[in-house]
Amino acid sequence: MPDQQPDQQAHQQADALADRVVAFHGVGVMGAAVLAALVASGHPPEQVLAIDTYQAGVDAVVEQHGVRAATAAEAAQQADVHVLAVKPADVPAVLATLSEAAGHEGRDAVVVSVAAGVTTAALEAGLPDGMAVVRVMPNTPAVLGAGMSVVSRGSAADDESVRLACALLGTAGEVLELPEKQLDAVTATSGSGPAYVFYLAEAMIEGAVLQGLSRPVARQLTLQTILGSARMLVEGEDSPTVLRERVSSPGGTTMAAVATLDAHATRAAVVDAIRAATERSVELGA
């Protein structure tokens, strides 16, 4: 794991975007989360543009973070990096605006898309030849600066384009670059992954309540256990298997619980769930 502290890493990520104007086309949950992380990392708020058809969303990020409201056309003329955080159905309209501005202004901008299921090929088809596109699969912990994002470069994206995308998403968590063909599996693992953890938390709380604990106590025990366990996985060097075995004394309570999970084929169910989510991602992308 990196030796640098998160705040230090965030500031170094932001340095890569110095003097760049970043436009957020869409300031819903994900767009607003990355925008907030970017400003918190030290990027000048006056170099951040917020664009959304939902005016209340724009007003909120302008008031909270001091960024500038803009129209799509204004952003197309001013921004160096365009973050597409709109619904897939709204992507073509944004691309058309960017394409028109590129033709008139000759801007050499980078398009970073978090629009679910929209391929780099589809994005490039709506933009002038040679405009750099980087597709991103983020996840919801980005709202806490603890996200996991995977970036995939389009055919015209060079190392500098990818560096800018990684710097941007790096302010909201960890970033990894992978080939686009792996994004469906990424979606099923880290994109949908928070829901699996929340599902487990629900089940643990319910089980504790059924054994006589109050719901507030069951919630506290469960959530702190998940948090502490995650830190052991992230900050330590041992594998999940080793850590699990250390808790599992022969004939003890943990072994009884794990044996029950195995009897219900829990491991196989999780593996199958990720397969199903991957296949659904492929279908949606098509």
Side-chain angles (χ1 to χ4, degrees):
M1 301 302 296
D3 294 329
Q4 298 168 325
Q5 294 300 311
D7 287 346
Q8 182 184 0
Q9 288 179 295
H11 283 288
Q12 290 185 349
Q13 293 278 17
D15 288 343
L17 291 164
D19 301 323
R20 308 274 186 163
V21 175
V22 183
F24 287 82
H25 299 265
V27 288
V29 174
M30 191 56 64
V34 179
L35 182 152
L38 178 62
V39 174
S41 73
H43 196 76
E46 64 271 16
Q47 292 176 208
V48 178
L49 307 180
I51 307 97
D52 202 304
T53 55
Y54 181 57
Q55 188 59 42
V58 174
D59 294 341
V61 295
V62 168
E63 180 179 358
Q64 186 173 359
H65 304 293
V67 301
R68 292 190 288 143
T71 65
E74 290 169 342
Q77 294 172 359
Q78 299 174 34
D80 305 293
V81 180
H82 294 276
V83 182
L84 271 59
V86 297
K87 295 178 180 178
D90 297 329
V91 168
V94 178
L95 297 181
T97 302
L98 297 181
S99 182
E100 182 179 359
H104 287 89
E105 303 293 332
R107 296 200 63 82
D108 185 19
V110 178
V111 174
V112 178
S113 174
V114 299
V118 183
T119 65
T120 58
L123 293 165
E124 290 171 344
L127 293 168
D129 290 344
M131 183 172 282
V133 169
V134 180
R135 182 182 170 193
V136 182
M137 171 47 63
N139 65 7
T140 55
V143 301
L144 300 178
M148 181 69 243
S149 298
V150 174
V151 304
S152 296
R153 66 178 73 197
S155 61
D158 57 13
D159 290 344
E160 175 64 12
S161 302
V162 174
R163 187 175 76 92
L164 289 174
C166 289
L168 174 67
L169 275 299
T171 62
E174 297 290 323
V175 188
L176 184 66
E177 182 185 5
L178 289 175
E180 187 172 17
K181 65 182 180 181
Q182 296 184 3
L183 280 194
D184 293 310
V186 168
T187 300
T189 305
S190 59
S192 299
Y196 312 153
V197 178
F198 303 149
Y199 187 95
L200 174 62
E202 286 181 297
M204 289 177 64
I205 292 170
E206 195 63 31
V209 169
L210 288 174
Q211 295 309 310
L213 296 179
S214 70
R215 189 164 292 275
V217 168
R219 183 179 187 278
Q220 182 178 1
L221 293 176
T222 296
L223 301 192
Q224 184 58 35
T225 297
I226 291 174
L227 176 62
S229 301
R231 287 190 60 184
M232 290 181 72
L233 285 165
V234 172
E235 297 175 12
E237 297 181 354
D238 294 318
S239 69
T241 300
V242 169
L243 292 173
R244 176 183 56 78
E245 289 174 344
R246 286 180 181 168
V247 187
S248 307
S249 302
T253 59
T254 305
M255 285 299 296
V258 171
T260 301
L261 290 173
D262 286 343
H264 287 277
T266 303
R267 184 188 301 265
V270 172
V271 170
D272 201 41
I274 292 178
R275 177 201 54 76
T278 301
E279 292 177 354
R280 183 56 178 158
S281 179
V282 172
E283 292 171 359
L284 293 174

